[in-house]
Each structure stands twice: as structure tokens, then as C-alpha cells.
Amino acid sequence: SSGINAEYGVDIPAFNDRRSTKSSIESDCVRMTTRPPPEGHDKGTVLDCIGIGPGQNPGLWRPPEQQVTGDVQVSMEVCDGKLRLTVLRAKQLKFKCSEKGVDTYVKTYLLDATSARKQQKKRSKTAKSSLCPSYNELFSFEPVYHDKVLAVAIVARERFSRKQPLGEAQINLASLDLTVRLTAWYRLFSAHPQIASHS
């Protein structure tokens, strides 16, 4: 079953048999510790599929000290021939040794399934000083997305230093039925390298 999230006013579908209450959404996407690659395999060629969201391209296995931490929650649907993406919030972000939070924003864009060319790049407003920021921002993409990969990246912004990517989720749009709204959590991976396409 599904329920309405009062904070964001969107339908939250039950996913992986989880309840759709606000408390369960807060603790959603709890992940196992990433396992090491099987013996005889190069860690750079082993896919990490633990805790990924619907249609998400997996990242490459990384040892715990190199893993990106965090998840991003998005809502997607096709309306009037356009892809409507709402970036709701992120959680469990990690930035250096900070426990007080950091200013972040979201970058989102489309990728060709066979190349790294970025199209229709968009950016959210900055969420202040949080490791579990709320964005609740709507983006619309023109109807050229059908064979694309949607990338959603979280970027940290410090006042006197360079911007630092905190992680990225890549979603294979061709694998999803977006004639109905889909709301889900997506695990963040290192932006490079990721798999360009995944079936």
C-alpha cells in the first residue's frame, strides 16, 4: 500500500515490503556492510548492488574507508510528455569529519546511455548546514529522456573552499514505468567511475 507524506505532499509507495510511515521512511534504505569482492576478482570490476534503488545503475565495489555515504530521495513521473523530477531530501551524508552539517545543493542532468555527455543540466537551491538536508525542488526535462540515464548528485559547498561532490546516483530511465509516480531512495556512489548502462 502507499501513503501520503505530510511533509512533502507526495505519494510514498511501499517499497521492498517497508511500511510507508514517516518513521519508516526516515530509516529506509538501511544497508549491509559492503562485502569484499570474491577471491580472484579485481575490486575495480566488481559491481556493488547493495541498497540500490529502482532502475539504479550499480557502482563499483570500494573498501569501507573509500565508500561514499548517503542516500537521496526523489520522486519521478512523466506528465504531458515531460519527465518531472522532484528531489525531496538526502540523509546520512558524510563530509570530512563534520557532525554539524554542511551546505549542499543538488545537480541533476541526463546522460547518454553510451557516453558521458551531460544534457539539460539543472541545479537546486542550497540547503544550509545539514547532513540530512531537505530540498523539495521540482525539475522538468524535455521529452528526449527515454533512452537516457538520469544523474542526481549531491555537492557540498563551503564558504572559503572548493565545491566537493559527496556522491551521485545514476538511474536508467528506460527500465522504469513512469506513467505512475515513483518515489524511492537511491544510494549515492562516487561520481567516477560508474556504469554507463545497466539492464
Side-chain angles (χ1 to χ4, degrees):
S1 62
S2 61
I4 299 296
N5 182 319
E7 183 174 357
Y8 297 109
V10 297
D11 186 51
I12 305 296
F15 181 63
N16 287 352
D17 296 326
R18 299 186 182 99
R19 293 172 301 165
S20 297
T21 62
K22 183 174 180 180
S23 60
S24 67
I25 292 168
E26 291 287 352
S27 60
D28 199 1
C29 226
V30 175
R31 298 191 297 272
M32 299 166 53
T33 301
T34 303
R35 297 184 294 271
E39 185 176 354
H41 288 258
D42 184 339
K43 67 182 181 181
T45 63
V46 176
L47 301 184
D48 183 354
C49 299
I50 297 175
I52 63 175
Q56 184 172 2
N57 293 337
L60 296 179
W61 184 87
R62 292 288 183 264
E65 65 274 11
Q66 297 180 15
Q67 289 178 16
V68 170
T69 299
D71 303 89
V72 61
Q73 187 187 38
V74 302
S75 177
M76 297 174 285
E77 65 179 335
V78 173
C79 184
D80 296 327
K82 297 182 179 181
L83 174 66
R84 293 168 61 88
L85 167 72
T86 303
V87 180
L88 298 172
R89 54 183 169 177
K91 66 179 181 180
Q92 298 176 354
L93 299 179
K94 182 178 180 181
F95 182 72
K96 299 180 180 178
C97 296
S98 174
E99 296 182 357
K100 298 180 180 180
V102 63
D103 294 352
T104 60
Y105 62 89
V106 176
K107 291 197 306 182
T108 184
Y109 46 86
L110 299 177
L111 293 167
D112 284 322
T114 56
S115 74
R117 182 183 176 188
K118 299 178 181 179
Q119 301 177 355
Q120 299 192 50
K121 294 184 286 185
K122 303 177 189 296
R123 172 183 162 171
S124 75
K125 298 177 182 177
T126 299
K128 297 293 186 179
S129 190
S130 176
L131 296 178
C132 296
S134 294
Y135 303 103
N136 199 28
E137 195 154 344
L138 174 66
F139 302 99
S140 180
F141 294 88
E142 295 298 324
V144 294
Y145 65 87
H146 300 282
D147 60 344
K148 306 297 183 184
V149 172
L150 174 68
V152 181
I154 307 292
V155 181
R157 182 176 185 178
E158 290 187 292
R159 183 175 299 177
F160 300 112
S161 67
R162 298 180 62 183
K163 302 165 189 175
Q164 179 176 332
L166 298 186
E168 179 177 291
Q170 291 186 4
I171 305 166
N172 188 349
L173 296 174
S175 68
L176 300 175
D177 177 9
L178 296 178
T179 58
V180 294
R181 183 185 299 169
L182 169 66
T183 303
W185 287 98
Y186 287 88
R187 179 181 171 185
L188 298 175
F189 289 100
S190 297
H192 301 287
Q194 276 191 271
I195 307 306
S197 63
H198 175 64
S199 57

